[in-house]
Amino acid sequence: MKNNAPFGLYIHVPFCASKCRYCDFYSFAGDTAQMEHFVQAIDRQAERFAPMLAGRTADTVYFGGGTPSLLGGERLSKLLQMLSNRFSIAPHAEITVECNPDSMDTDLLHVLRKARVNRLSIGVQSAHDAELRLLGRRHTFAQACTAVRNAQQTGFDNISVDLMYGLPGQSEQMLFQSVDALLALHPQHLSCYSLKLEPGTPMGQEQPVLPDDDAQADWYLSLCERLTQAGYLHYEISNWAKPGFYSRHNSRYWTLSDYLGLGPGAHSYLNGKRFAYRPSLTDFCDCPQPVQEELVAGFAPHAEYIMLRLRTADGIDRLDFESRFGRSFAPYAARLAALRAPGLTLETADGWRLTERGFLVSNSIITDVLSVDEMI
């Protein structure tokens, strides 16, 4: 049966002015020639996939990275025009560009608005300059404030800001000073993540002492309460939005909806299959067959569905699960029901979800729920 469902487009821009000290994404400082080759390679790969997606509409487009804003308005506009030439993009599609405050100016913002970009994701991370320096960020908080306000004055009314917590030497007071400072900017969306020390990064190699797990758990629950009081809906473990402003594109990842990823290191999920480009700009630009099959290690499709849906406030829809996978949800529901008394799960009208306390131990809960498979 022909699939006519909408899909999303993700473009991975691998260029950064400099590498943050915690980052393990594929990114590097590119030059003008590399950026031009990248843009042309995106068009070639879009042309390759266009026949597969004929008759379907992209209702989300997301430029991530890396630092997409580093490409500049002209290249980003060109990329959007190329994508529009290859695919059907809905008139009211959500089109997001990730930006760093140091690579945003009013000229860029005006060009993006003209090119139909209607959502910005701005990497602020902290309101404390000392913490920003520790993370290897290139901007100050004053620059971040200016960037957000300039975007608002240019007409952007769907702005997301990133916040990172659990930093070396951070106190609860410092964290909530950052929270309040970000709320004062009136963003429509916040993504709040705890710092993870990745082995290959400078911070990971230094192994600094982070706030302990108990402290971070308390901070997370206080953060949930603070953002709820401020009118934000907690729709995914690390994401909060004003009503109507959840990230439509990122929600695809958690609901196993189709998306095509283009760019070195970009991943895709189309028609039930996953594939990815190797994280190499040279391969992406020069290799005629850069796509390789990718499996989610250790997870069958139904298990991946459970893992991803339990990250969301909506949780698991029993009928959707059974329709997709042709198996009963009852054994998994029984495990979730056993965690209701300690306040970790909630039964909904359609199935089950985790509470905010459940989000804190989601990995353990998911492991427990999926242990049912060993008995079937």
Side-chain angles (χ1 to χ4, degrees):
M1 185 173 68
K2 186 174 176 60
N3 185 356
N4 294 317
F7 68 99
L9 285 168
Y10 173 76
I11 310 301
H12 183 75
V13 180
F15 307 112
C16 277
S18 61
K19 194 91 168 175
C20 294
R21 301 182 69 248
Y22 57 86
C23 178
D24 70 339
F25 290 142
Y26 176 65
S27 63
F28 59 95
D31 57 30
T32 299
Q34 289 174 312
M35 291 182 183
E36 290 298 328
H37 289 155
F38 166 79
V39 170
Q40 295 304 319
I42 290 289
D43 190 42
R44 290 194 298 272
Q45 292 303 311
E47 181 181 23
R48 177 185 176 206
F49 280 97
M52 179 189 300
L53 292 161
R56 299 178 65 180
T57 299
D59 60 3
T60 66
V61 182
Y62 195 105
F63 291 88
T67 308
S69 53
L70 197 63
L71 280 179
E74 182 179 343
R75 290 192 189 92
L76 287 167
S77 296
K78 186 176 181 179
L79 278 169
L80 268 171
Q81 185 58 56
M82 287 175 168
L83 294 172
S84 297
N85 292 341
R86 302 299 184 190
F87 305 106
S88 173
I89 298 180
H92 302 292
E94 176 193 83
I95 303 178
T96 304
V97 172
E98 288 185 352
C99 302
N100 279 352
D102 60 290
S103 58
M104 293 172 66
D105 58 33
T106 54
D107 288 343
L108 171 74
L109 293 167
H110 283 293
V111 172
L112 293 183
R113 283 282 293 167
K114 187 175 180 180
R116 292 180 55 203
V117 174
N118 51 27
R119 185 174 184 272
L120 301 178
S121 178
I122 303 176
V124 179
Q125 311 304 355
S126 172
H128 298 282
D129 288 349
E131 291 182 341
L132 293 172
R133 288 192 295 271
L134 176 69
L135 294 170
R137 304 294 293 177
R138 294 172 60 86
H139 64 272
T140 64
F141 184 62
Q143 287 176 302
C145 292
T146 298
V148 172
R149 291 176 182 134
N150 284 344
Q152 292 166 336
Q153 290 168 5
T154 307
F156 285 96
D157 58 4
N158 190 355
I159 296 174
S160 177
V161 296
D162 291 347
L163 171 71
M164 190 171 287
Y165 66 92
L167 309 182
Q170 189 176 51
S171 66
E172 182 174 14
Q173 180 183 18
M174 293 171 68
L175 168 61
F176 283 93
Q177 285 172 347
S178 287
V179 171
D180 289 340
L182 289 183
L183 290 177
L185 295 173
H186 305 292
Q188 284 72 37
H189 185 284
L190 290 98
S191 295
C192 305
Y193 303 97
S194 62
L195 173 64
K196 303 297 182 188
L197 296 176
E198 303 294 345
T201 64
M203 289 191 77
Q205 293 170 352
E206 292 168 5
Q207 287 292 309
V209 177
L210 305 182
D212 64 41
D213 290 344
D214 288 341
Q216 291 201 44
D218 289 341
W219 297 357
Y220 178 81
L221 293 175
S222 296
L223 179 64
C224 294
E225 182 179 0
R226 178 73 181 89
L227 294 182
T228 297
Q229 290 173 350
Y232 292 85
L233 304 178
H234 191 185
Y235 72 98
E236 192 271 343
I237 286 181
S238 302
N239 288 277
W240 288 258
K242 290 286 190 177
F245 287 96
Y246 71 97
S247 171
R248 286 160 47 195
H249 183 84
N250 286 342
S251 293
R252 291 188 180 282
Y253 305 147
W254 308 314
T255 58
L256 289 178
S257 298
D258 280 1
Y259 59 94
L260 171 65
L262 301 176
H267 294 239
S268 299
Y269 181 79
L270 283 176
N271 302 321
K273 294 184 178 179
R274 291 192 177 277
F275 49 92
Y277 288 95
R278 290 184 290 276
S280 163
L281 180 64
T282 300
D283 282 357
F284 182 72
C285 291
D286 300 338
C287 180
Q289 294 292 333
V291 177
Q292 59 186 15
E293 290 296 324
E294 174 217 332
L295 298 175
V296 179
F299 285 98
H302 76 279
E304 185 185 7
Y305 176 95
I306 289 173
M307 175 183 68
L308 292 172
R309 290 301 299 254
L310 286 179
R311 290 184 60 91
T312 70
D314 289 338
I316 297 172
D317 183 307
R318 176 180 58 82
L319 292 180
D320 182 46
F321 176 89
E322 294 178 346
S323 173
R324 283 182 184 236
F325 305 110
R327 61 170 66 203
S328 171
F329 185 65
Y332 308 100
R335 288 298 179 108
L336 290 165
L339 298 171
R340 178 168 47 188
L344 301 178
T345 63
L346 281 175
E347 186 172 14
T348 67
D350 303 312
W352 286 88
R353 55 157 294 186
L354 302 188
T355 64
E356 288 175 333
R357 289 189 175 276
F359 282 157
L360 278 171
V361 289
S362 60
N363 289 341
S364 297
I365 292 175
I366 290 165
T367 299
D368 180 60
V369 171
L370 293 182
S371 68
V372 166
D373 289 343
E374 300 170 6
M375 307 173 190
I376 297 177

